[in-house]
């Protein structure tokens, strides 16, 4: 079955130096454009981000500083990319939340006027999540092949969660059967505060995950703007976030003694 298109649609995927729209840059872009007659046109480019690619990111996508040192910058390649997606609808996987916003940031940084407001945007991940709901009821039906009775009854939901986990370790042998092997397989998230207002960066340093200081080390901001601590402590932030903020402040003060 093929798409019935009125105008071309350009599916894109980006590899980047990281996931921060403000500070990270594109290192590879691939676009496949499907035309109304069903034919396809492809464009792929490595791009010089004009900043080091973190080792943790290279480990994911395999692109090194050496591979992009002679590649064009986004500004140099921007017109070619703009022309390629001209009058196209846009598509991708998680593209509405990451790839398209990142691409638009790069166009803006390059001083290029690109307007996607009239384009239709098809995010395949959104289709997936809509058609295959990520609820406990849906997971129970998928893994246990049963209907969940008394959904949203606390005890029923807990029992269903355990049943789903037991079915998962049977379905996916690579998970193993211990807590250590399960988390080793899927990755264990290391958090600073439960509300995730702070995150650890690739160097293990606590950084802001919101607002004007997003991506900046918390300790650096507290030293430069002591009033920011007071603003957060007076603000409507979770208690655990305030507790972690105070711990970081105290640790910073001790270092300066």
């Amino acid at each position: 079955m093929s798409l019935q298109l009125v105008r071309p649609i350009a599916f894109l995927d980006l590899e980047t130096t990281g996931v921060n729209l403000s500070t990270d840059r594109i290192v590879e872009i691939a676009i496949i454009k499907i035309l109304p007659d069903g034919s396809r046109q492809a464009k792929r480019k490595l791009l010089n981000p004009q900043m080091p690619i973190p080792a943790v990111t290279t480990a994911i996508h395999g692109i090194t500083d050496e591979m992009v040192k002679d590649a064009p910058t986004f500004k140099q390649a921007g017109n070619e990319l703009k022309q390629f997606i001209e009058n196209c609808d846009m598509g991708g996987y998680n593209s509405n939340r990451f790839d398209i916003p990142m691409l638009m940031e790069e166009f803006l940084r390059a001083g290029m006027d690109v307007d996607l407001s009239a384009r239709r945007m098809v995010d395949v991940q959104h289709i997936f999540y809509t058609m295959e709901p990520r609820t406990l009821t849906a997971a129970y039906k998928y893994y246990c092949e049963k209907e969940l009775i008394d959904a949203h009854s606390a005890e029923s939901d807990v029992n269903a969660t355990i049943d789903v986990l037991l079915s998962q370790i049977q379905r996916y042998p690579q998970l193993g059967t211990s807590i250590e092997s399960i988390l080793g397989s899927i990755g264990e998230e290391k958090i600073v505060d439960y509300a995730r207002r702070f995150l650890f960066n690739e160097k293990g340093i606590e950084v802001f995950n919101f607002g004007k200081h997003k991506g900046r080390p918390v300790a650096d901001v507290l030293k430069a703007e002591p009033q920011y601590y007071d603003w957060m402590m007076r603000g409507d932030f979770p208690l655990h976030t305030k507790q972690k903020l105070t711990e970081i402040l105290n640790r910073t003060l001790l270092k300066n003694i």
Side-chain angles (χ1 to χ4, degrees):
M1 186 176 294
S2 60
L3 289 169
Q4 304 301 308
L5 302 175
V6 174
R7 63 181 176 184
I9 181 168
F11 289 89
L12 79 155
D13 186 72
L14 307 178
E15 302 299 343
T16 62
T17 58
V19 296
N20 188 305
L21 297 178
S22 300
T23 59
D24 283 305
R25 301 292 185 268
I26 299 172
V27 296
E28 182 186 23
I29 181 169
I31 308 172
I32 295 178
K33 181 164 60 176
I34 304 178
L35 304 181
D37 65 4
S39 61
R40 300 186 181 195
Q41 298 174 357
K43 185 175 291 291
R44 172 189 174 271
K45 278 189 173 295
L46 288 175
L47 298 170
N48 185 334
Q50 298 181 288
M51 65 181 288
I53 303 173
V56 65
T57 309
T58 293
I60 295 170
H61 55 49
I63 301 171
T64 64
D65 292 332
E66 180 67 22
M67 291 168 64
V68 299
K69 66 181 180 66
D70 297 322
T73 64
F74 187 91
K75 190 169 186 177
Q76 292 169 331
N79 272 320
E80 180 184 349
L81 296 170
K82 179 183 177 182
Q83 290 172 13
F84 192 70
I85 65 172
E86 198 77 47
N87 298 316
C88 291
D89 290 328
M90 306 297 295
Y93 192 87
N94 195 33
S95 49
N96 288 356
R97 296 172 66 92
F98 180 72
D99 300 85
I100 291 172
M102 177 67 80
L103 181 63
M104 292 304 294
E105 284 293 308
E106 291 279 33
F107 278 130
L108 289 169
R109 281 190 285 263
M112 300 180 63
D113 182 21
V114 177
D115 184 7
L116 299 182
S117 60
R119 316 291 183 89
R120 310 302 295 272
M121 299 185 185
V122 179
D123 191 327
V124 174
Q125 185 191 70
H126 184 61
I127 296 173
F128 176 34
Y129 287 0
T130 301
M131 303 307 292
E132 301 291 342
R134 307 289 100 176
T135 63
L136 177 58
T137 300
Y140 192 71
K141 185 173 183 179
Y142 179 78
Y143 286 107
C144 303
E145 299 180 349
K146 300 176 185 175
E147 296 292 337
L148 178 55
I149 308 300
D150 295 330
H152 304 300
S153 158
E155 185 174 358
S156 177
D157 285 357
V158 171
N159 278 311
T161 300
I162 295 169
D163 287 346
V164 168
L165 175 59
L166 295 176
S167 294
Q168 286 173 328
I169 62 177
Q170 185 173 3
R171 183 179 294 241
Y172 310 120
Q174 64 269 34
L175 289 176
T177 55
S178 70
I179 301 303
E180 290 75 13
S181 65
I182 292 168
L183 293 178
S185 178
I186 65 172
E188 185 172 8
E189 187 179 12
K190 192 177 181 185
I191 64 171
V192 179
D193 67 311
Y194 295 121
R196 289 165 173 76
R197 297 290 182 154
F198 313 123
L199 298 176
F200 288 107
N201 65 12
E202 65 275 6
K203 296 180 180 178
I205 297 171
E206 298 104 331
V207 299
F208 281 98
N209 190 37
F210 73 98
K212 64 179 182 179
H213 294 305
K214 186 171 182 177
R216 288 188 61 192
V218 178
D220 290 356
V221 171
L222 295 181
K223 283 191 286 186
E225 300 181 37
Q227 68 275 17
Y228 205 74
Y229 172 83
D230 295 329
W231 174 77
M232 286 194 65
M233 294 302 288
R234 290 194 304 268
D236 187 22
F237 291 95
L239 291 176
H240 189 249
T241 298
K242 294 180 178 180
Q243 179 185 23
K244 288 299 179 180
L245 182 68
T246 301
E247 289 177 8
I248 296 169
L249 176 64
N250 290 338
R251 198 163 65 237
T252 303
L253 292 174
L254 286 173
K255 285 184 180 179
N256 293 330
I257 294 177

